[in-house]
Amino acid sequence: MKFLRLLVLCLLFFSVSVQSSETEIYPNEFHVFFESYATNPAFTQMIQYARLPQQIPKMIAWHRFPDRDSVINLDNYNTTEIDIPAKEGLWALATKRVLEATLKKMNQHPELNLVLHANLSKMDIVIRPFLDKIPKNRIQMIHLYEDGYGILFKDSFLKQEDHKIYSREEIEEGVFVPQKWKPEMIYSLHKLYPVTYHLFGWKHINNKTVKDYFKGAKVRDVDFDLFAKELTDMQKKLIYKLAGFDYDYFYHLMHHKKSIVFTMGYHFDNREKEASERNFLKKLQTDELFSGIRADEYIWLYKPHPSYQATGSIDAIRKMQKNMIEIPAQIPFEIFVLAGLKPTYTAGFSSSLFYVLQDKDILYFIQRSKNDNYLNFLTQIRHLNPKKIVNLKDFKPEIKE
């Protein structure tokens, strides 16, 4: 019996040790998960949230995933949810609400230290207010997430060959100025605070300049194939609930079945582009010489752009494609990889969601411009066949006289 108790204690210690290495668990920490603009950072934050022990105090505010208390019992996870506008562009208001709630919690519990999870592309308006109001010695860790996956391959600053690497002293003296944060500050915050960067494709980076910029920082590769292997079933179920993903429904729909997901772009109410996108989809479904597939052998789904302002294009495709299955717009495409339900083929408008696919998984990629930044990774790392790259201008609707 004594031996059994000792074995259980050892196993518990090992479990906590492994988990700690993944989530950087410290005594008296308070995690604030905040995203007021995009889907990707909120989803990656959910993965980190699911890895934390339930008893650790947490706060969540995800504008595309509101009212999470309706899908899980937040009390069971020691979590408070802050109501922020379900609308793009209101970063300042959202930050004000979350910061006020954070300060209140920390004032009530002086033993707590902040672990902030936020969007690295919103330094001025989201992260800086926290750093101004919260004492440095009470910031345990700052986790920074990409606004859209693959920033290492898209950011023009990181692609430069000869930019200056700033020292900590130079950053404190000249770069660290309210409302004037230079790009180098975004990737140098770890010189002033404990920082963990969550970056898609880190394992593919061999550029010395980029490596030098992140020298001394903790960097986690955002790898959904790896997450699918590492996360427990219980953690995945929690993530599915947080993201609004009906796993059982999509499992019965797609598991061991041939499927095609069409991904829509957001064209800022450009009706011609929206119509061209629908024309492309129609050709894909009806022209076997163009698609190279038999359309009737596949289950067809479409994934609207998650922007709250994309309702017009969604309504139009609903009318045209009544037999297609709509994936709720706010659900991140990457969750299908996490769930082991990657579609047979994916086709659609330029997006970072294509990063989690291989060339064999991509039917067509609609580029957004001649110098589409998403193609850097897809052509160089995924070796996307150039024949699969098309342009919306080739699918313009006919002009009626």
Side-chain angles (χ1 to χ4, degrees), residues 1-222:
M1 192 69 176
K2 188 175 180 180
F3 172 77
L4 183 60
R5 282 200 299 268
L6 183 61
L7 179 61
V8 170
L9 286 172
C10 288
L11 288 172
L12 284 172
F13 176 78
F14 176 75
S15 174
V16 171
S17 298
V18 171
Q19 193 173 38
S20 297
S21 68
E22 278 298 324
T23 52
E24 295 170 339
I25 298 169
Y26 304 97
N28 303 324
E29 62 191 49
F30 168 45
H31 287 253
V32 174
F33 295 88
F34 175 35
E35 178 50 46
S36 61
Y37 181 68
T39 299
N40 289 162
F43 182 48
T44 319
Q45 287 179 27
M46 289 175 187
I47 293 172
Q48 298 307 310
Y49 177 95
R51 284 173 158 163
L52 290 173
Q54 291 182 224
Q55 68 271 21
I56 287 181
K58 311 171 195 71
M59 184 180 292
I60 60 173
W62 297 313
H63 92 293
R64 284 182 177 165
F65 305 92
D67 304 320
R68 295 301 83 187
D69 58 346
S70 65
V71 296
I72 66 170
N73 186 333
L74 293 178
D75 290 338
N76 290 344
Y77 294 90
N78 200 4
T79 298
T80 303
E81 185 172 27
I82 305 303
D83 180 33
I84 59 175
K87 186 177 181 181
E88 286 87 20
L90 300 178
W91 305 298
L93 175 59
T95 300
K96 182 175 182 291
R97 289 185 184 178
V98 177
L99 179 55
E100 287 177 351
T102 300
L103 289 170
K104 182 178 179 180
K105 177 81 170 181
M106 295 185 73
N107 288 335
Q108 291 172 342
H109 300 274
E111 77 283 2
L112 291 180
N113 293 319
L114 176 65
V115 179
L116 177 64
H117 301 255
N119 188 328
L120 66 81
S121 297
K122 300 294 181 287
M123 284 284 185
D124 291 339
I125 204 163
V126 172
I127 296 173
R128 179 60 194 254
F130 281 83
L131 305 186
D132 284 342
K133 295 290 185 180
I134 297 172
K136 191 172 182 179
N137 65 344
R138 293 194 67 188
I139 297 178
Q140 188 76 62
M141 178 64 69
I142 300 172
H143 288 266
L144 296 178
Y145 301 82
E146 300 164 283
D147 188 86
Y149 297 130
I151 196 170
L152 293 169
F153 305 91
K154 292 180 293 185
D155 194 305
S156 59
F157 171 76
L158 286 174
K159 288 189 286 185
Q160 294 173 23
E161 294 291 333
D162 57 354
H163 41 35
K164 176 178 171 57
I165 305 293
Y166 283 78
S167 68
R168 174 175 177 171
E169 291 71 26
E170 288 174 314
I171 293 168
E172 288 178 326
E173 289 174 8
V175 183
F176 194 62
V177 179
Q179 304 307 319
K180 293 183 180 179
W181 285 32
K182 299 177 183 178
E184 52 265 34
M185 183 59 219
I186 295 175
Y187 304 110
S188 300
L189 190 61
H190 60 278
K191 296 180 181 179
L192 302 178
Y193 291 87
V195 170
T196 299
Y197 297 90
H198 298 258
L199 302 171
F200 180 91
W202 177 250
K203 63 177 175 286
H204 296 294
I205 293 297
N206 52 23
N207 183 301
K208 185 180 184 300
T209 307
V210 173
K211 290 284 189 180
D212 285 345
Y213 241 99
F214 292 100
K215 191 173 182 180
K218 294 181 179 179
V219 181
R220 296 255 182 88
D221 200 327
V222 176

Side-chain angles (χ1 to χ4, degrees), residues 338-398:
L338 193 69
L341 296 174
K342 184 169 65 175
T344 311
Y345 291 119
T346 298
F349 194 73
S350 171
S351 167
S352 63
L353 67 85
F354 284 89
Y355 288 163
V356 299
L357 303 171
Q358 302 296 325
D359 174 68
K360 64 181 177 61
D361 306 317
I362 300 172
L363 196 57
Y364 277 108
F365 176 90
I366 304 172
Q367 66 182 63
R368 62 181 62 215
S369 65
K370 185 177 180 181
N371 298 313
D372 190 324
N373 278 333
Y374 291 98
L375 285 172
N376 294 328
F377 180 85
L378 292 174
T379 56
Q380 296 169 23
I381 308 299
R382 296 298 191 221
H383 306 295
L384 180 63
N385 188 333
K387 294 180 180 179
K388 297 182 179 182
I389 302 169
V390 297
N391 197 301
L392 277 183
K393 68 181 182 181
D394 296 324
F395 303 93
K396 285 183 180 181
E398 293 181 6

Side-chain angles (χ1 to χ4, degrees), residues 216-229:
K218 294 181 179 179
V219 181
R220 296 255 182 88
D221 200 327
V222 176
D223 184 335
F224 291 96
D225 290 312
L226 185 61
F227 293 157
K229 296 175 184 176

